[in-house]
Each structure stands twice: as structure tokens, then as C-alpha cells.
Amino acid sequence: MSTSARFSGSKNAENTARQYQNDFQTPAFAATIALVIKRNAAKTIVKPATLTGVVTFTANVGDANNPPYVGDEIDFFLTPDGTTRVVTFGTGFLPTATLSVTTAKQAFISFEFNGTAWIETARAVNA
């Protein structure tokens, strides 16, 4: 886990956003989905296949020399099948609680990296 920011503003630091990318991941449904956050991905959007059961997401937290970096983001867009589905955020995440995605609705949940873990910053369940 890198405790430095992607854009430090210091001399010789990349602060123009030319060297980072956004990443869009669409993993197949599984009981556990392990996300790998790419090196240049300052923002990762995850839209898995329709949730057909309980799911747990995990994510890497890197090491002292590898991303993610402080301030990197992960956004999830979640859609259940015809049943309310429970989503758990495991290794790497510090959520406020599990998330229940109710029937006929969609959920959004966002996390930001603080240098040691992905901290929940927002959640919503909408029709």
C-alpha cells in the first residue's frame, strides 16, 4: 500500500493527469470477486454481471512501492436479479456495513484509498 498520493504537486511529480487512466471492470458473477486495481488507474469503475447470489468483493492494497495511491477511487454499480442480494466488502475494504441491493433497484457504492484501505465514501440504492 502506497501512502503517497498519486499527484503530490512536488517538483518532478506527475500532476497533469497525463499518466493515469480510468479502468472499467465487468467481472462475471461469483461468490467472491477479487479486484485487481491497475497501476495507472486513479479511478476504477466496477459493474459486475447481475447479482444472482450473495457476493463478497476484495481488492488489493499494494505495498510501499505499488499502487493504489492515496486518493484513488473505486465505484461500484450493482444490479440484482429478482431477489434482494447482500453485498459484502472484505479484504482491503472498510465499509460502513454490508449493502442490500433490493429487487428491481440498483445500487451505487464508492470507496477512496486512504493509504492502507479502501474507505467507503458514499452509497445509494435507487429505482
Side-chain angles (χ1 to χ4, degrees), residues 4-75:
S4 61
R6 185 174 294 277
F7 308 109
S8 67
S10 65
K11 183 180 179 186
N12 300 326
E14 166 56 42
N15 62 8
T16 63
R18 290 178 301 175
Q19 295 180 6
Y20 82 87
Q21 304 168 359
N22 293 329
D23 185 31
F24 182 64
Q25 298 184 19
T26 56
F29 177 79
T32 300
I33 298 175
L35 302 172
V36 177
I37 307 307
K38 296 181 181 176
R39 179 166 185 75
N40 290 336
K43 182 169 189 163
T44 301
I45 298 170
V46 180
K47 188 173 188 227
T50 299
L51 306 180
T52 57
V54 174
V55 62
T56 298
F57 289 98
T58 64
N60 60 309
V61 293
D63 59 39
N65 299 308
N66 293 303
Y69 295 101
V70 172
D72 284 358
E73 300 173 359
I74 300 176
D75 292 337

Side-chain angles (χ1 to χ4, degrees), residues 53-100:
V54 174
V55 62
T56 298
F57 289 98
T58 64
N60 60 309
V61 293
D63 59 39
N65 299 308
N66 293 303
Y69 295 101
V70 172
D72 284 358
E73 300 173 359
I74 300 176
D75 292 337
F76 290 86
F77 293 93
L78 306 166
T79 304
D81 59 4
T83 304
T84 297
R85 299 299 180 184
V86 175
V87 179
T88 302
F89 295 92
T91 304
F93 291 99
L94 289 176
T96 57
T98 60
L99 173 64
S100 292

